[in-house]
Amino acid sequence: MNETHGEAGRLAPRTDEDGWFMRKALIFLMATFTTGHAFSAERWTPDQNTCNQQENTLAIVDCYEGRVDIWDHRLNAVYGQLMAEFKKTASDRVAPLKAAQLAWIKYRDANCAFYYSEDGTIKQIDTITCKLQMTQDRAIELQSALPQ
């Protein structure tokens, strides 16, 4: 059994919160090292589906949420790069990009909420896979708009 030191140095059982924190820290580190100039050198491709190999619905959803976090970080970073680039070189493209991104966020949220209206626990998986698919597609789309 995994244990940590609790109050006064006593051993206490690890909780699921420890695992959650470690997963989030790992996601943050992975996403941090994929930002910056790596965007222009590395071309992203969609994820391979490995989350469905988890043993239950909660684990599958947790896996997908981690992937969404990474892709959302990539999307935000590449959007920021595009905005900075357009402010320097094509200021007439700033407003249309911002409007398109805001509209895309509304559409993604509404589209994925549709999947949550299903019956049963499959709605959790369908909703998070919708968000992953749309977020990675948008990140890849915006990355392709960066100057080479």
Side-chain angles (χ1 to χ4, degrees), residues 14-148:
R14 283 193 179 270
T15 65
D16 187 44
E17 291 176 7
D18 295 326
W20 177 87
F21 176 77
M22 293 303 290
R23 285 190 301 275
K24 292 296 181 183
L26 180 62
I27 289 166
F28 173 77
L29 290 173
M30 288 171 45
T32 299
F33 290 114
T34 62
T35 60
H37 298 288
F39 288 142
S40 58
E42 172 199 359
R43 288 295 169 192
W44 299 319
T45 58
D47 279 352
Q48 299 299 313
N49 184 356
T50 59
C51 290
N52 282 338
Q53 298 169 3
Q54 303 298 317
E55 62 186 61
N56 60 49
T57 301
L58 292 177
I60 291 170
V61 170
D62 190 47
C63 177
Y64 277 122
E65 285 177 346
R67 298 307 305 160
V68 169
D69 287 347
I70 290 169
W71 280 100
D72 192 53
H73 183 80
R74 288 176 175 177
L75 174 59
N76 290 330
V78 75
Y79 173 79
Q81 282 185 315
L82 269 177
M83 289 297 274
E85 180 67 27
F86 289 162
K87 285 176 182 177
K88 286 190 276 183
T89 63
S91 60
D92 58 323
R93 297 189 75 191
V94 170
L97 175 61
K98 183 176 182 179
Q101 189 65 9
L102 291 173
W104 176 83
I105 290 167
K106 284 183 181 182
Y107 172 68
R108 180 204 58 200
D109 292 347
N111 188 48
C112 295
F114 164 74
Y115 290 99
Y116 200 77
S117 67
E118 297 175 337
D119 291 331
T121 59
I122 193 69
K123 69 184 180 183
Q124 297 169 7
I125 295 171
D126 288 347
T127 303
I128 196 70
T129 57
C130 171
K131 191 168 183 182
L132 173 61
Q133 184 66 52
M134 292 186 73
T135 303
Q136 72 183 5
D137 288 350
R138 183 66 175 166
I140 291 168
E141 176 186 8
L142 292 185
Q143 186 190 44
S144 70
L146 285 173
Q148 300 296 343

